[in-house]
Amino acid sequence: MDKNKLLELLRKMTLREKFGQLTQITGEPFIGRADDDMVETGPGYPPDMLEPDTLYTVGSVIGVSSAKMTNRIQSEYLKRSRLKIPLLFMHDAIHGYKTIFPIPLALSCTWDERILEKAAEVTATELRASGIHVNFSPMVDLVRDARWGRVMEAFGEDHLLSGHLGRAMIRGYQKRSDGKIGPAGVAACVKHFAAYGAAVAGKDYNTVDMSMREFYDYYGKPYEIALQEKPKFVMSSFNTFNGVPVTASEAMLRQILRGTYRFDDLVISDWGAVSELQNHRVARDGKEAAELALTAGVDIEMVSTLYLAHFEAIVAEHPELLDDVDAAVLKILQLKNELGLFENPYVDEEAESAVILSPESLEAAREAARRSCVLLKNDHQTLPIGKQHRSILIVGPFSNTRELLGNWACKGSFDDVPTLAEGLKQVDDSLQVNVYDTLDDCPGDVLEQCDYIIAAVGERWDLSGEGHSSVHIGLEDSQQQLIRQVKRLNKPYACVFFSGRPLALQDIIDDIPALLWCWYPGTQAGVAIAELLTGQETPSGKLTMSFPRYSAQTPIYYNEYSTGRPANASSYSSRYQDCEIGPLFAFGHGLTYTGTEYANFRQSSDRITAEQGITFSFDIHNPSGYDYPEIVILYIEDLVSKAARPTREMKKYRVVPVPARQTVHVELTISLDDLQYLDANLQRTVEPGEFRVYINDLAKPVFAFVYEDAV
Ligand code: GLC
């Protein structure tokens, strides 16, 4: 349909029909209570709030899936819709739809935009085959507090990495880079704008307060970067920002999002967030809540249907809002048109099964799972399991489970997930593998004959994710006891951890010789992990979020300020008296089996100018037989600045393929722009001074340079 036809359609719409397009509901009014093809991701809103003649004006449905179900609803809806405007179907397939990839925090540990783009592409293909047009992903919220259950959905504690990985997923979802939707693409939705990850004390939905310097240079940066990829949607967050709920904040949604960040497409509220303005106590009733959200620039109301309940009164008092309403409705019509829904609102039910869980999708999930795992510790090369070890005993609560998808795995099925044991047998069928939940369950002869033990432990999948903030993020006592029991057997052993967040392991880490962190690896879990445990592949992931030693040592993150009393052995320094300084495992930490060495560090100059950047080069030598991806991370340190800056700032990263027994030359260039920061007056500036450069190791500078003012 061409634009004139769309404008003609818009002109025909009644006010109710326009506000219907600005309303999203669950599938319940169409198919009754939640069933396998319908999920609810928040507190229920009674669907009978809508009269039938209103119901058939709504613009989109959330949480319904499968070609059959979306076709059924679409068909019934279009029969009753006066103007025959098709529905959009939206869902949360945040790391896969049926083929489940590792949770986003795990995917971020690949540092590989190609991996994330591929995961998004596969997800988009499966979503479209199932009749879904919009995906509420990527979440790019910066996270620093592992108590917050939603860190599992994020890309970690660095703002640049979070933004660029978010961009990669948007490219994968929309399958184009110009803001249009490619074939078999879905509309992406950047969330949760803004700074939802900074909820005080890591408590979900809690207050967010920060300086605008902290926002623009850190918490806002991932959205700013991700928006450059032109996602169709941005989701407004639940939280207040400096005292104003974002969903009612013109400053956030109009001045910053649409002004400073130049976003010009659709803003959708989070689940019920418009109605929750009443809980925030900034709206005395539903009408005022709807009015505030509409005025702030929320185009589509998710689930709470207050726009439809109060639009007549609101428009009567604020006719000036009608231009925004028309603009938003036109964008929705344009998206439906771009997706071809006016010509064909249905999806081919026969084609769905051929697309879902395809071999190539599963291979992509397997590679992503392998690359997401992080080898945190490996004393005495305990891993990989040596060829001399053929009888493997796996013990622990995760020894025999398929529940390795994480807490927001959309339509992923545990039945599709190979267990750790199945993975080991598939990867090396010469292994004898025994599996028991606890050592006490294990018969003496099995214990006697096994020559290698894997303790499969961690945090249950339903203890992280939305609404799952925790004050205790250590390993539960029974699992610590299990590890100590295994240690007392005096056989080689390693620990494989599953979790949706960093865990605080100070109390148990000395009893763990080798530690492979697998997060929630998704549909190919068992096989991908087995490839690493047996040494068929080497671990290559690096942490994107610091691991605290204790639950109370959070938030903790790599780019903290020096303070006036930098942490040291003295009690008069910024430290805890009852905790070692620094994280247990740092941002950027991750081991391999390769014995890789870096050498020949060189720099093109020791002074940077506006015209001439500096290229830092070095060689990476891989003496092993593995072809593998080496993650290279470059940090700068500004020794003196007018406003305080973090002591380390990640500025460049690259995933470098290093073939077996080869040496690869790497060059990374820093320009003057990379040295910018927001000074105390919120001016983006570069100050003259001395800088140090770190490669991977946050403690060891390998380069230095100066910037002398041009004048
Ligand atoms: C949830 C989440 C959001 C999700 C939305 C729809 O409450 O906050 O991330 O996209 O509701 O499911």
Side-chain angles (χ1 to χ4, degrees):
M1 193 187 286
D2 70 25
K3 182 147 186 186
N4 291 332
K5 285 257 190 254
L6 290 177
L7 289 170
E8 196 182 309
L9 178 56
L10 180 63
R11 279 193 291 274
K12 288 180 190 166
M13 294 173 77
T14 65
L15 204 51
R16 175 187 304 282
E17 287 167 334
K18 290 179 181 177
F19 276 91
Q21 289 298 311
L22 305 187
T23 299
Q24 175 171 99
I25 59 172
T26 68
E28 192 175 344
F30 303 101
I31 57 175
R33 283 299 307 150
D35 72 4
D36 189 42
D37 282 333
M38 189 184 100
V39 291
E40 289 199 343
T41 51
Y45 281 83
D48 56 13
M49 287 168 78
L50 295 180
E51 300 299 321
D53 62 350
T54 303
L55 175 61
Y56 293 95
T57 67
V58 300
S60 58
V61 168
I62 178 177
V64 169
S65 57
S66 89
K68 182 165 166 288
M69 190 55 78
T70 52
N71 281 343
R72 176 182 147 192
I73 293 175
Q74 189 75 277
S75 166
E76 182 192 332
Y77 175 88
L78 288 174
K79 281 192 196 103
R80 310 276 292 269
S81 155
R82 182 178 76 90
L83 293 171
K84 310 299 176 204
I85 301 172
L87 286 166
L88 281 173
F89 289 96
M90 305 194 190
H91 220 306
D92 295 86
I94 64 172
H95 54 104
Y97 173 66
K98 294 281 277 191
T99 300
I100 304 301
F101 287 80
I103 57 173
L105 186 58
L107 285 171
S108 72
C109 293
T110 69
W111 291 69
D112 192 334
E113 292 164 30
R114 185 188 58 79
I115 291 272
L116 276 90
E117 185 170 343
K118 181 65 180 171
E121 275 174 15
V122 168
T123 303
T125 301
E126 293 193 347
L127 284 167
R128 282 303 296 276
S130 303
I132 296 156
H133 311 108
V134 181
N135 193 13
F136 294 129
S137 174
M139 188 261 232
V140 298
D141 303 343
L142 187 64
V143 293
R144 293 173 168 170
D145 192 326
R147 291 171 294 180
W148 192 45
R150 303 196 74 167
V151 300
M152 65 155 247
E153 302 175 46
F155 297 130
E157 69 196 41
D158 184 80
H159 47 294
L160 300 183
L161 183 67
S162 296
H164 288 295
L165 296 183
R167 277 193 77 166
M169 291 203 96
I170 295 164
R171 275 196 301 277
Y173 288 135
Q174 299 191 161
K175 300 196 177 178
R176 286 176 62 148
S177 275
D178 57 359
K180 302 286 182 202
I181 312 288
V186 295
C189 175
V190 164
K191 67 187 188 183
H192 306 81
F193 192 82
Y196 179 23
V200 167
K203 191 161 57 174
D204 210 347
Y205 316 117
N206 206 1
T207 305
V208 171
D209 276 284
M210 64 179 68
S211 70
M212 290 316 291
R213 184 167 181 252
E214 178 76 352
F215 177 77
Y216 282 119
D217 247 6
Y218 298 100
Y219 282 91
K221 189 59 80 175
Y223 309 108
E224 181 185 7
I225 294 169
L227 290 172
Q228 291 162 19
E229 207 61 43
K230 299 187 181 307
K232 284 291 182 185
F233 289 85
V234 166
M235 184 182 293
S236 68
S237 55
F238 290 120
N239 54 285
T240 55
F241 183 86
N242 294 348
V244 180
V246 172
T247 299
S249 171
E250 290 186 70
M252 295 304 283
L253 299 181
R254 291 191 188 279
Q255 290 159 31
I256 295 177
L257 178 60
R258 295 191 184 283
T260 311
Y261 292 168
R262 301 153 66 89
F263 175 68
D264 65 0
D265 231 309
L266 289 161
V267 174
I268 185 168
S269 79
D270 204 335
W271 182 286
V274 172
S275 174
E276 290 175 9
L277 295 177
Q278 301 168 84
N279 299 341
H280 281 291
R281 303 184 178 197
V282 297
R284 67 174 63 81
D285 55 28
K287 172 186 170 291
E288 189 172 9
E291 197 174 299
L292 285 171
L294 209 50
T295 307
V298 175
D299 298 313
I300 298 177
E301 178 186 11
M302 186 188 288
V303 176
S304 47
T305 64
L306 294 173
Y307 281 14
L308 267 177
H310 301 286
F311 71 89
E312 280 142 335
I314 292 171
V315 169
E317 290 169 33
H318 302 280
E320 73 280 4
L321 288 174
L322 277 175
D323 287 347
D324 286 343
V325 169
D326 282 353
V329 174
L330 184 58
K331 284 173 189 163
I332 294 167
L333 297 178
Q334 283 168 328
L335 175 57
K336 293 180 176 186
N337 193 42
E338 197 182 320
L339 290 163
L341 300 184
F342 287 104
E343 289 73 29
N344 177 16
Y346 302 107
V347 64
D348 176 353
E349 294 175 28
E350 303 310 314
E352 183 179 25
S353 56
V355 166
I356 300 290
L357 290 164
S358 69
E360 52 274 10
S361 300
L362 290 171
E363 181 44 41
R366 180 167 160 173
E367 180 191 9
R370 211 168 44 228
R371 298 273 301 277
S372 300
C373 294
V374 186
L375 183 59
L376 294 177
K377 188 175 177 187
N378 194 20
D379 292 351
H380 320 301
Q381 270 66 45
T382 305
L383 280 173
I385 298 169
K387 291 296 179 204
Q388 73 279 24
H389 301 311
R390 294 293 90 195
S391 174
I392 312 298
L393 170 63
I394 309 177
V395 287
F398 292 82
S399 60
N400 200 26
T401 182
R402 298 181 190 284
E403 298 185 7
L404 301 174
L405 299 178
N407 195 6
W408 208 318
C410 204
K411 305 303 288 177
S413 166
F414 293 142
D415 297 342
D416 299 326
V417 182
T419 65
L420 206 40
E422 289 165 347
L424 280 173
K425 288 301 286 177
Q426 182 177 320
V427 163
D428 181 348
D429 62 7
S430 71
L431 290 173
Q432 183 194 4
V433 182
N434 288 293
V435 180
Y436 293 93
D437 285 347
T438 71
L439 277 177
D440 301 341
D441 301 337
C442 180
D445 61 330
V446 172
L447 210 47
E448 182 58 37
Q449 75 178 18
C450 78
D451 52 26
Y452 198 101
I453 301 173
I454 293 168
V457 293
E459 182 188 69
R460 245 189 21 243
W461 62 270
D462 55 354
L463 292 179
S464 54
E466 183 177 355
H468 290 88
S469 294
S470 301
V471 290
H472 300 296
I473 56 171
L475 185 65
E476 58 184 43
D477 290 346
S478 62
Q479 297 187 51
Q480 293 196 39
Q481 285 160 26
L482 170 69
I483 292 170
R484 294 189 180 105
Q485 270 184 303
V486 169
K487 179 180 181 179
R488 286 193 288 273
L489 296 171
N490 285 322
K491 292 176 185 266
Y493 71 99
C495 292
V496 170
F497 267 76
F498 298 93
S499 87
R501 68 172 98 227
L503 297 181
L505 302 177
Q506 185 64 56
D507 290 339
I508 191 63
I509 193 62
D510 294 339
D511 296 319
I512 299 175
L515 172 51
L516 183 66
W517 205 269
C518 301
W519 305 106
Y520 275 100
T523 306
Q524 289 288 281
V527 176
I529 298 168
E531 288 174 333
L532 300 174
L533 292 175
T534 59
Q536 275 197 18
E537 299 286 349
T538 173
S540 59
K542 291 190 174 180
L543 292 182
T544 58
M545 194 172 179
S546 306
F547 275 50
R549 296 173 183 278
Y550 298 102
S551 303
Q553 192 197 22
T554 184
I556 186 167
Y557 44 98
Y558 85 94
N559 49 349
E560 294 182 358
Y561 290 169
S562 169
T563 78
R565 296 194 174 181
N568 58 44
S570 152
S571 60
Y572 293 110
S573 73
S574 180
R575 59 192 277 275
Y576 299 99
Q577 63 180 336
D578 53 351
C579 175
E580 283 179 59
I581 294 168
L584 183 61
F585 297 111
F587 174 87
H589 175 69
L591 306 174
T592 71
Y593 298 150
T594 61
T596 293
E597 289 166 354
Y598 284 54
N600 299 331
F601 290 95
R602 292 193 178 84
Q603 62 188 89
S604 61
S605 167
D606 59 5
R607 58 194 61 246
I608 195 169
T609 67
E611 298 70 35
Q612 189 67 44
I614 299 179
T615 297
F616 303 99
S617 66
F618 44 89
D619 294 335
I620 298 175
H621 176 60
N622 167 16
S624 78
Y626 291 106
D627 296 335
Y628 85 106
E630 171 76 7
I631 297 168
V632 179
I633 310 167
L634 181 150
Y635 305 87
I636 66 164
E637 177 188 8
D638 185 349
L639 298 185
V640 178
S641 49
K642 288 193 176 63
R645 295 181 76 159
T647 57
R648 302 287 184 276
E649 298 175 58
M650 195 271 287
K651 290 297 178 183
K652 301 286 177 192
Y653 61 89
R654 187 175 301 166
V655 177
V656 180
V658 190
R661 286 177 284 282
Q662 297 283 316
T663 297
V664 174
H665 182 70
V666 178
E667 294 185 354
L668 296 171
T669 298
I670 288 285
S671 73
L672 207 55
D673 285 351
D674 292 315
L675 308 185
Q676 284 186 3
Y677 81 122
L678 272 188
D679 67 16
N681 304 315
L682 289 187
Q683 296 306 310
R684 195 152 288 290
T685 180
V686 181
E687 296 159 353
E690 295 174 62
F691 295 81
R692 291 192 189 119
V693 177
Y694 300 73
I695 301 294
N696 295 347
D697 184 342
L698 286 162
K700 197 177 89 188
V702 287
F703 300 109
F705 66 92
V706 296
Y707 168 56
E708 287 160 350
D709 208 340
V711 291

